[in-house]
PDB file of all heavy atoms in Angstrom:
ATOM      1  N   HIS A   1     111.866  88.562  94.482  1.00 95.00           N
ATOM      2  CA  HIS A   1     110.751  89.421  94.065  1.00 95.00           C
ATOM      3  C   HIS A   1     109.828  88.646  93.130  1.00 95.00           C
ATOM      4  O   HIS A   1     109.890  88.798  91.908  1.00 95.00           O
ATOM      5  CB  HIS A   1     111.276  90.673  93.360  1.00 95.00           C
ATOM      6  CG  HIS A   1     111.866  91.690  94.283  1.00 95.00           C
ATOM      7  ND1 HIS A   1     111.103  92.583  94.987  1.00 95.00           N
ATOM      8  CD2 HIS A   1     113.158  91.935  94.615  1.00 95.00           C
ATOM      9  CE1 HIS A   1     111.910  93.357  95.719  1.00 95.00           C
ATOM     10  NE2 HIS A   1     113.144  92.984  95.523  1.00 95.00           N
ATOM     11  N   PRO A   2     108.956  87.810  93.700  1.00 96.00           N
ATOM     12  CA  PRO A   2     108.046  87.035  92.839  1.00 96.00           C
ATOM     13  C   PRO A   2     107.147  87.905  91.976  1.00 96.00           C
ATOM     14  O   PRO A   2     106.644  87.425  90.949  1.00 96.00           O
ATOM     15  CB  PRO A   2     107.223  86.227  93.861  1.00 96.00           C
ATOM     16  CG  PRO A   2     108.102  86.144  95.072  1.00 96.00           C
ATOM     17  CD  PRO A   2     108.830  87.443  95.119  1.00 96.00           C
ATOM     18  N   GLU A   3     106.941  89.152  92.356  1.00 96.00           N
ATOM     19  CA  GLU A   3     106.129  90.056  91.532  1.00 96.00           C
ATOM     20  C   GLU A   3     106.882  90.515  90.293  1.00 96.00           C
ATOM     21  O   GLU A   3     106.301  91.100  89.385  1.00 96.00           O
ATOM     22  CB  GLU A   3     105.668  91.269  92.358  1.00 96.00           C
ATOM     23  CG  GLU A   3     106.740  92.301  92.670  1.00 96.00           C
ATOM     24  CD  GLU A   3     107.704  91.869  93.765  1.00 96.00           C
ATOM     25  OE1 GLU A   3     107.449  90.831  94.412  1.00 96.00           O
ATOM     26  OE2 GLU A   3     108.710  92.578  93.976  1.00 96.00           O
ATOM     27  N   ILE A   4     108.192  90.289  90.240  1.00 96.00           N
ATOM     28  CA  ILE A   4     109.090  90.550  89.108  1.00 96.00           C
ATOM     29  C   ILE A   4     109.241  92.050  88.799  1.00 96.00           C
ATOM     30  O   ILE A   4     110.338  92.599  88.898  1.00 96.00           O
ATOM     31  CB  ILE A   4     108.643  89.815  87.817  1.00 96.00           C
ATOM     32  CG1 ILE A   4     108.479  88.307  88.099  1.00 96.00           C
ATOM     33  CG2 ILE A   4     109.657  90.057  86.712  1.00 96.00           C
ATOM     34  CD1 ILE A   4     109.740  87.581  88.466  1.00 96.00           C
ATOM     35  N   ASP A   5     108.158  92.703  88.428  1.00 97.00           N
ATOM     36  CA  ASP A   5     108.207  94.085  87.944  1.00 97.00           C
ATOM     37  C   ASP A   5     108.591  95.047  89.072  1.00 97.00           C
ATOM     38  O   ASP A   5     107.948  95.086  90.121  1.00 97.00           O
ATOM     39  CB  ASP A   5     106.832  94.463  87.379  1.00 97.00           C
ATOM     40  CG  ASP A   5     106.846  95.770  86.615  1.00 97.00           C
ATOM     41  OD1 ASP A   5     107.123  96.814  87.218  1.00 97.00           O
ATOM     42  OD2 ASP A   5     106.555  95.740  85.402  1.00 97.00           O
ATOM     43  N   THR A   6     109.616  95.867  88.837  1.00 98.00           N
ATOM     44  CA  THR A   6     110.083  96.808  89.863  1.00 98.00           C
ATOM     45  C   THR A   6     109.027  97.845  90.198  1.00 98.00           C
ATOM     46  O   THR A   6     108.842  98.212  91.365  1.00 98.00           O
ATOM     47  CB  THR A   6     111.369  97.516  89.396  1.00 98.00           C
ATOM     48  OG1 THR A   6     112.367  96.533  89.091  1.00 98.00           O
ATOM     49  CG2 THR A   6     111.901  98.441  90.474  1.00 98.00           C
ATOM     50  N   GLY A   7     108.318  98.344  89.190  1.00 98.00           N
ATOM     51  CA  GLY A   7     107.266  99.315  89.450  1.00 98.00           C
ATOM     52  C   GLY A   7     106.177  98.744  90.324  1.00 98.00           C
ATOM     53  O   GLY A   7     105.675  99.419  91.241  1.00 98.00           O
ATOM     54  N   VAL A   8     105.797  97.501  90.081  1.00 98.00           N
ATOM     55  CA  VAL A   8     104.784  96.839  90.899  1.00 98.00           C
ATOM     56  C   VAL A   8     105.271  96.711  92.338  1.00 98.00           C
ATOM     57  O   VAL A   8     104.530  96.956  93.299  1.00 98.00           O
ATOM     58  CB  VAL A   8     104.434  95.459  90.307  1.00 98.00           C
ATOM     59  CG1 VAL A   8     103.521  94.676  91.253  1.00 98.00           C
ATOM     60  CG2 VAL A   8     103.776  95.617  88.944  1.00 98.00           C
ATOM     61  N   HIS A   9     106.550  96.328  92.499  1.00 98.00           N
ATOM     62  CA  HIS A   9     107.124  96.197  93.840  1.00 98.00           C
ATOM     63  C   HIS A   9     107.060  97.514  94.611  1.00 98.00           C
ATOM     64  O   HIS A   9     106.637  97.552  95.771  1.00 98.00           O
ATOM     65  CB  HIS A   9     108.574  95.728  93.740  1.00 98.00           C
ATOM     66  CG  HIS A   9     109.410  96.087  94.928  1.00 98.00           C
ATOM     67  ND1 HIS A   9     109.131  95.641  96.201  1.00 98.00           N
ATOM     68  CD2 HIS A   9     110.511  96.895  95.032  1.00 98.00           C
ATOM     69  CE1 HIS A   9     110.033  96.141  97.040  1.00 98.00           C
ATOM     70  NE2 HIS A   9     110.871  96.902  96.366  1.00 98.00           N
ATOM     71  N   VAL A  10     107.472  98.597  93.973  1.00 98.00           N
ATOM     72  CA  VAL A  10     107.481  99.892  94.655  1.00 98.00           C
ATOM     73  C   VAL A  10     106.069 100.291  95.078  1.00 98.00           C
ATOM     74  O   VAL A  10     105.856 100.806  96.182  1.00 98.00           O
ATOM     75  CB  VAL A  10     108.122 100.971  93.762  1.00 98.00           C
ATOM     76  CG1 VAL A  10     107.904 102.366  94.334  1.00 98.00           C
ATOM     77  CG2 VAL A  10     109.617 100.700  93.603  1.00 98.00           C
ATOM     78  N   MET A  11     105.080 100.041  94.234  1.00 98.00           N
ATOM     79  CA  MET A  11     103.708 100.378  94.580  1.00 98.00           C
ATOM     80  C   MET A  11     103.184  99.494  95.718  1.00 98.00           C
ATOM     81  O   MET A  11     102.448  99.966  96.594  1.00 98.00           O
ATOM     82  CB  MET A  11     102.801 100.247  93.360  1.00 98.00           C
ATOM     83  CG  MET A  11     103.062 101.299  92.287  1.00 98.00           C
ATOM     84  SD  MET A  11     102.835 102.993  92.886  1.00 98.00           S
ATOM     85  CE  MET A  11     104.514 103.634  92.769  1.00 98.00           C
ATOM     86  N   MET A  12     103.562  98.224  95.733  1.00 98.00           N
ATOM     87  CA  MET A  12     103.172  97.349  96.842  1.00 98.00           C
ATOM     88  C   MET A  12     103.770  97.844  98.152  1.00 98.00           C
ATOM     89  O   MET A  12     103.095  97.880  99.191  1.00 98.00           O
ATOM     90  CB  MET A  12     103.627  95.913  96.569  1.00 98.00           C
ATOM     91  CG  MET A  12     102.894  95.208  95.442  1.00 98.00           C
ATOM     92  SD  MET A  12     103.534  93.536  95.131  1.00 98.00           S
ATOM     93  CE  MET A  12     103.062  92.698  96.652  1.00 98.00           C
ATOM     94  N   ALA A  13     105.031  98.243  98.104  1.00 98.00           N
ATOM     95  CA  ALA A  13     105.692  98.765  99.309  1.00 98.00           C
ATOM     96  C   ALA A  13     105.050 100.069  99.761  1.00 98.00           C
ATOM     97  O   ALA A  13     104.859 100.306 100.963  1.00 98.00           O
ATOM     98  CB  ALA A  13     107.183  98.969  99.026  1.00 98.00           C
ATOM     99  N   LEU A  14     104.682 100.905  98.809  1.00 98.00           N
ATOM    100  CA  LEU A  14     104.056 102.190  99.132  1.00 98.00           C
ATOM    101  C   LEU A  14     102.694 101.982  99.792  1.00 98.00           C
ATOM    102  O   LEU A  14     102.364 102.650 100.786  1.00 98.00           O
ATOM    103  CB  LEU A  14     103.920 103.016  97.860  1.00 98.00           C
ATOM    104  CG  LEU A  14     103.393 104.446  97.998  1.00 98.00           C
ATOM    105  CD1 LEU A  14     104.238 105.242  98.973  1.00 98.00           C
ATOM    106  CD2 LEU A  14     103.358 105.122  96.632  1.00 98.00           C
ATOM    107  N   ASP A  15     101.911 101.067  99.278  1.00 98.00           N
ATOM    108  CA  ASP A  15     100.604 100.786  99.878  1.00 98.00           C
ATOM    109  C   ASP A  15     100.755 100.175 101.272  1.00 98.00           C
ATOM    110  O   ASP A  15      99.928 100.412 102.161  1.00 98.00           O
ATOM    111  CB  ASP A  15      99.790  99.851  98.979  1.00 98.00           C
ATOM    112  CG  ASP A  15      99.178 100.579  97.787  1.00 98.00           C
ATOM    113  OD1 ASP A  15      99.153 101.823  97.796  1.00 98.00           O
ATOM    114  OD2 ASP A  15      98.741  99.893  96.842  1.00 98.00           O
ATOM    115  N   ASP A  16     101.819  99.400 101.472  1.00 98.00           N
ATOM    116  CA  ASP A  16     102.070  98.859 102.805  1.00 98.00           C
ATOM    117  C   ASP A  16     102.386  99.986 103.780  1.00 98.00           C
ATOM    118  O   ASP A  16     101.887 100.010 104.912  1.00 98.00           O
ATOM    119  CB  ASP A  16     103.236  97.861 102.769  1.00 98.00           C
ATOM    120  CG  ASP A  16     103.513  97.265 104.138  1.00 98.00           C
ATOM    121  OD1 ASP A  16     102.864  96.258 104.483  1.00 98.00           O
ATOM    122  OD2 ASP A  16     104.365  97.817 104.875  1.00 98.00           O
ATOM    123  N   ALA A  17     103.205 100.942 103.349  1.00 98.00           N
ATOM    124  CA  ALA A  17     103.526 102.095 104.192  1.00 98.00           C
ATOM    125  C   ALA A  17     102.270 102.881 104.538  1.00 98.00           C
ATOM    126  O   ALA A  17     102.104 103.367 105.670  1.00 98.00           O
ATOM    127  CB  ALA A  17     104.547 102.994 103.491  1.00 98.00           C
ATOM    128  N   ALA A  18     101.354 103.010 103.572  1.00 98.00           N
ATOM    129  CA  ALA A  18     100.098 103.718 103.820  1.00 98.00           C
ATOM    130  C   ALA A  18      99.225 102.945 104.804  1.00 98.00           C
ATOM    131  O   ALA A  18      98.621 103.525 105.708  1.00 98.00           O
ATOM    132  CB  ALA A  18      99.352 103.945 102.511  1.00 98.00           C
ATOM    133  N   ALA A  19      99.155 101.627 104.632  1.00 97.00           N
ATOM    134  CA  ALA A  19      98.340 100.801 105.522  1.00 97.00           C
ATOM    135  C   ALA A  19      98.830 100.870 106.959  1.00 97.00           C
ATOM    136  O   ALA A  19      98.039 100.751 107.907  1.00 97.00           O
ATOM    137  CB  ALA A  19      98.334  99.354 105.030  1.00 97.00           C
ATOM    138  N   CYS A  20     100.127 101.081 107.119  1.00 97.00           N
ATOM    139  CA  CYS A  20     100.717 101.185 108.460  1.00 97.00           C
ATOM    140  C   CYS A  20     100.587 102.597 109.037  1.00 97.00           C
ATOM    141  O   CYS A  20     100.963 102.828 110.194  1.00 97.00           O
ATOM    142  CB  CYS A  20     102.185 100.783 108.425  1.00 97.00           C
ATOM    143  SG  CYS A  20     102.460  99.023 108.105  1.00 97.00           S
ATOM    144  N   GLY A  21     100.108 103.531 108.221  1.00 97.00           N
ATOM    145  CA  GLY A  21      99.934 104.896 108.705  1.00 97.00           C
ATOM    146  C   GLY A  21     101.218 105.676 108.845  1.00 97.00           C
ATOM    147  O   GLY A  21     101.288 106.622 109.635  1.00 97.00           O
ATOM    148  N   TYR A  22     102.237 105.326 108.068  1.00 98.00           N
ATOM    149  CA  TYR A  22     103.528 106.004 108.184  1.00 98.00           C
ATOM    150  C   TYR A  22     103.446 107.444 107.693  1.00 98.00           C
ATOM    151  O   TYR A  22     102.584 107.808 106.885  1.00 98.00           O
ATOM    152  CB  TYR A  22     104.590 105.250 107.402  1.00 98.00           C
ATOM    153  CG  TYR A  22     104.935 103.881 107.965  1.00 98.00           C
ATOM    154  CD1 TYR A  22     105.475 102.887 107.149  1.00 98.00           C
ATOM    155  CD2 TYR A  22     104.720 103.583 109.304  1.00 98.00           C
ATOM    156  CE1 TYR A  22     105.795 101.630 107.658  1.00 98.00           C
ATOM    157  CE2 TYR A  22     105.033 102.325 109.819  1.00 98.00           C
ATOM    158  CZ  TYR A  22     105.571 101.357 108.993  1.00 98.00           C
ATOM    159  OH  TYR A  22     105.887 100.126 109.488  1.00 98.00           O
ATOM    160  N   ALA A  23     104.395 108.252 108.133  1.00 98.00           N
ATOM    161  CA  ALA A  23     104.437 109.679 107.810  1.00 98.00           C
ATOM    162  C   ALA A  23     104.794 109.904 106.348  1.00 98.00           C
ATOM    163  O   ALA A  23     105.297 109.004 105.652  1.00 98.00           O
ATOM    164  CB  ALA A  23     105.455 110.382 108.710  1.00 98.00           C
ATOM    165  N   LEU A  24     104.573 111.127 105.882  1.00 98.00           N
ATOM    166  CA  LEU A  24     104.903 111.493 104.498  1.00 98.00           C
ATOM    167  C   LEU A  24     106.370 111.252 104.198  1.00 98.00           C
ATOM    168  O   LEU A  24     106.714 110.789 103.110  1.00 98.00           O
ATOM    169  CB  LEU A  24     104.541 112.966 104.258  1.00 98.00           C
ATOM    170  CG  LEU A  24     104.957 113.555 102.904  1.00 98.00           C
ATOM    171  CD1 LEU A  24     104.257 112.842 101.747  1.00 98.00           C
ATOM    172  CD2 LEU A  24     104.650 115.050 102.856  1.00 98.00           C
ATOM    173  N   THR A  25     107.242 111.567 105.135  1.00 98.00           N
ATOM    174  CA  THR A  25     108.674 111.363 104.919  1.00 98.00           C
ATOM    175  C   THR A  25     108.975 109.911 104.573  1.00 98.00           C
ATOM    176  O   THR A  25     109.755 109.625 103.658  1.00 98.00           O
ATOM    177  CB  THR A  25     109.458 111.770 106.173  1.00 98.00           C
ATOM    178  OG1 THR A  25     108.819 111.196 107.329  1.00 98.00           O
ATOM    179  CG2 THR A  25     109.517 113.274 106.338  1.00 98.00           C
ATOM    180  N   VAL A  26     108.347 109.002 105.298  1.00 98.00           N
ATOM    181  CA  VAL A  26     108.568 107.569 105.065  1.00 98.00           C
ATOM    182  C   VAL A  26     107.988 107.147 103.724  1.00 98.00           C
ATOM    183  O   VAL A  26     108.633 106.405 102.954  1.00 98.00           O
ATOM    184  CB  VAL A  26     107.947 106.735 106.208  1.00 98.00           C
ATOM    185  CG1 VAL A  26     108.101 105.235 105.937  1.00 98.00           C
ATOM    186  CG2 VAL A  26     108.582 107.106 107.543  1.00 98.00           C
TER     187      VAL A  26
END
């Protein structure tokens, strides 16, 4: 995790899920 901060990681993953158009459940 080169971004180090766990909160930053979760937000990066969340934005990736949004960019992919995933459902609310995901």
Side-chain angles (χ1 to χ4, degrees):
H1 285 279
E3 74 284 351
I4 306 295
D5 191 297
T6 303
V8 172
H9 156 61
V10 169
M11 291 300 115
M12 291 178 67
L14 185 56
D15 283 346
D16 181 86
C20 291
Y22 293 156
L24 174 63
T25 47
V26 177

